[in-house]
Amino acid sequence: MKKQFYYFQLVLIFTIFWIVLFERATPFVLLTAPLISVFSIKISEKFLLKDSYYDLYYFNIFWLIKYSFFLLLEIYKSGLSIIPHIISGHSNPDIVEIYTDLDSNLQLALLANSITLTPGTITMDIEGQRLKVLWMDPKTKNITMAGILIKGKLEKLLKEVL
Amino acid sequence: MRELISNIIIFIGISFIALGIIGIYRFTNFYSRALVASKVDTVGYITIVIGVMIRHGFSYFTMKVFFILLITLIINPLITHSIVRSAFISGYKLRKE
Amino acid sequence: MTFAVVALIIFSFLSAFRVLIGPTLWDRLLGLNLVTSKLIIIIILMACIRMESFLLDMALVYALLSFIGIIFISIYIQRKGRF
C-alpha cells in the first residue's frame, strides 16, 4: 500500500510538470502524461539506477512541503544575520567537523544540501557520518556544540522521512 | 495593489543582490567571498521570483517560474559545494585576516 | 520593472569584472556562477514584462547547461587536468 502510494506521488509530480511545459490541458496532453511518466520511471530504474526508487529515495509529499517551508524560514533567518559581516568587512572562516546520526543516502544528501543552502555555512566533505563544514564565524570548535548550532532542527525533521 | 506589493518585493530582492556584489569586492580571502557572495545571491533570487509570482496570480506562467525556482534551489548548492571542494583539495590555504 | 532590469545588468557587469581580475582560478569560477544566476533572473523579468512564456523555457535550459559546465570545469581543475 505504501509502495503504491509512493509511485502514485511520482506519477502525479511528473504529470503536473508535463502539463506545465505544454501550457494547456487538452485530452491529448492529459492522456500522454501518465504514459510518459510511467515509461520514464521504468527506463531510469532499469538502466540508470539498477534498483527501485522506493528503496533508494523514499519520501512523502506532505513531509516534503513541510520541510521546504521550514528551510525557507531558515534561509531568510541566516541571510539576515550575515549582513553585519558584509558591512563591517570582518571574517575568520574556519573548518569545523560535525557528526550526524542519519544513515540513508537521501537523508545525508538533503542534510548536506540544506547546510550549503543556508548562508554562512558550506559543506566540504563527507566521509561516513562525519561532515566537514566551512563556517563563517565559528563560535566553538567542539564537535557536539557545533553540531547543535549548525544542524539545529533540520536533523530532527529529517528523521521523520522514513 | 498587487503590482505595488510585487514591485516592493522585487526591490528588496535587488538590494540583497547588491549586498552580495559589495561582498565579493570587500573581502580579500577566497573562502569569505565564496561564503558571502553566492549565498546572499540565493536569498535575493528567491525574493525576486516570489515577487514575480505574486504579480501574475495563479496561472501557467507562475507554475513554470515555480519549477525554475525549484531546479535552481537544487542546483545552486551543488555548484558552490563543487567549487569550494575543488579549491580545498587543490591545496588553497585558509588565511586569517 | 525596467529599473530592476537595468540594475541587474549593471550588477552582472560588476560580477563579470571579478572574472577578469580574480587572483585565483576559483575566484573566476565564482564570478561565472554569479553572472549566470543574474542572467537567469534577467530572462525571467523580460518574460514578465513582455508576457511571452517561451522565454521561460530558455531560462530552464540555460540553468541546466550552466550547471553542467561549471561542475565539469571544477572537477577538471580538482583532478589537475587528468580524467
Side-chain angles (χ1 to χ4, degrees):
Chain A
M1 193 55 217
K2 212 173 159 189
K3 194 163 181 175
Q4 273 93 21
F5 182 67
Y6 176 70
Y7 280 103
F8 177 70
Q9 283 172 13
L10 279 186
V11 171
L12 190 69
I13 293 172
F14 288 166
T15 305
I16 291 174
F17 190 59
W18 184 258
I19 292 173
V20 168
L21 279 185
F22 269 84
E23 292 190 10
R24 56 172 184 265
T26 55
F28 172 73
V29 176
L30 285 179
L31 200 72
T32 47
L35 291 178
I36 295 284
S37 43
V38 168
F39 178 72
S40 59
I41 289 173
K42 286 286 174 208
I43 287 286
S44 62
E45 270 187 356
K46 187 160 189 194
F47 293 109
L48 213 61
L49 294 175
K50 308 230 164 56
D51 202 347
S52 69
Y53 273 110
Y54 180 73
D55 294 332
L56 289 175
Y57 307 118
Y58 178 74
F59 64 88
N60 190 337
I61 196 162
F62 303 112
W63 174 84
L64 203 65
I65 293 171
K66 195 172 102 184
Y67 183 74
S68 51
F69 270 107
F70 179 75
L71 193 62
L72 202 66
L73 202 71
E74 201 78 356
I75 288 172
Y76 273 100
K77 222 191 298 176
S78 44
L80 288 179
S81 76
I82 214 172
I83 292 177
H85 285 282
I86 298 175
I87 293 171
S88 70
H90 134 272
S91 75
N92 51 342
D94 209 343
I95 295 173
V96 181
E97 278 204 350
I98 65 173
Y99 178 79
T100 169
D101 37 322
L102 305 171
D103 50 356
S104 91
N105 267 341
L106 177 70
Q107 285 173 329
L108 282 176
L110 273 179
L111 179 66
N113 262 0
S114 314
I115 287 177
T116 311
L117 202 54
T118 54
T121 44
I122 293 179
T123 316
M124 270 184 161
D125 205 353
I126 182 165
E127 29 185 83
Q129 294 181 329
R130 272 170 189 272
L131 279 81
K132 262 187 201 155
V133 177
L134 177 69
W135 197 357
M136 180 92 188
D137 189 17
K139 296 187 182 69
T140 62
K141 300 202 79 171
N142 187 352
I143 188 163
T144 49
M145 279 305 292
I148 291 170
L149 280 177
I150 290 175
K151 285 180 299 187
K153 282 188 200 160
L154 288 174
E155 194 179 31
K156 207 187 291 173
L157 263 176
L158 276 171
K159 271 180 194 162
E160 296 173 15
V161 66
L162 288 177
Chain B
M1 186 61 202
R2 218 167 57 189
E3 214 155 292
L4 184 71
I5 294 174
S6 79
N7 277 349
I8 292 172
I9 291 178
I10 288 175
F11 186 74
I12 294 173
I14 285 181
S15 50
F16 267 116
I17 289 183
L19 277 174
I21 295 290
I22 294 172
I24 61 170
Y25 283 104
R26 180 111 195 184
F27 295 111
T28 52
N29 194 352
F30 164 69
Y31 287 118
S32 315
R33 278 198 285 258
L35 277 166
V36 167
S38 60
K39 291 322 154 49
V40 176
D41 211 50
T42 307
V43 178
Y45 188 93
I46 297 172
T47 316
I48 288 180
V49 169
I50 287 175
V52 170
M53 278 161 69
I54 286 175
R55 192 187 184 92
H56 276 269
F58 188 79
S59 63
Y60 283 121
F61 191 92
T62 310
M63 296 283 282
K64 221 176 215 180
V65 172
F66 180 69
F67 275 115
I68 294 176
L69 174 67
L70 272 190
I71 287 177
T72 317
L73 277 189
I74 298 172
I75 280 174
N76 230 347
L78 287 176
I79 291 179
T80 316
H81 163 77
S82 94
I83 293 174
V84 175
R85 182 185 157 88
S86 150
F88 180 66
I89 288 181
S90 308
Y92 192 85
K93 293 278 189 313
L94 275 166
R95 258 187 281 117
K96 296 271 182 284
E97 298 187 13
Chain C
M1 215 55 181
T2 322
F3 165 76
V5 175
V6 173
L8 281 170
I9 289 173
I10 295 171
F11 289 155
S12 63
F13 268 109
L14 282 175
S15 1
F17 197 60
R18 185 87 247 176
V19 180
L20 286 180
I21 65 168
T24 62
L25 211 51
W26 304 288
D27 275 312
R28 293 168 209 263
L29 275 180
L30 201 69
L32 187 63
N33 183 17
L34 289 181
V35 173
T36 307
S37 72
K38 277 167 196 56
L39 278 182
I40 294 170
I41 301 175
I42 290 174
I43 295 175
I44 290 177
L45 285 180
M46 285 304 286
C48 185
I49 288 173
R50 303 178 54 167
M51 278 309 294
E52 283 168 348
S53 58
F54 72 89
L55 288 171
L56 291 178
D57 295 335
M58 276 166 51
L60 203 69
V61 173
Y62 189 64
L64 293 172
L65 280 180
S66 77
F67 165 66
I68 293 174
I70 296 178
I71 290 275
F72 268 102
I73 294 173
S74 69
I75 289 178
Y76 184 74
I77 295 167
Q78 176 188 327
R79 299 191 183 162
K80 300 196 172 60
R82 287 189 300 268
F83 256 97

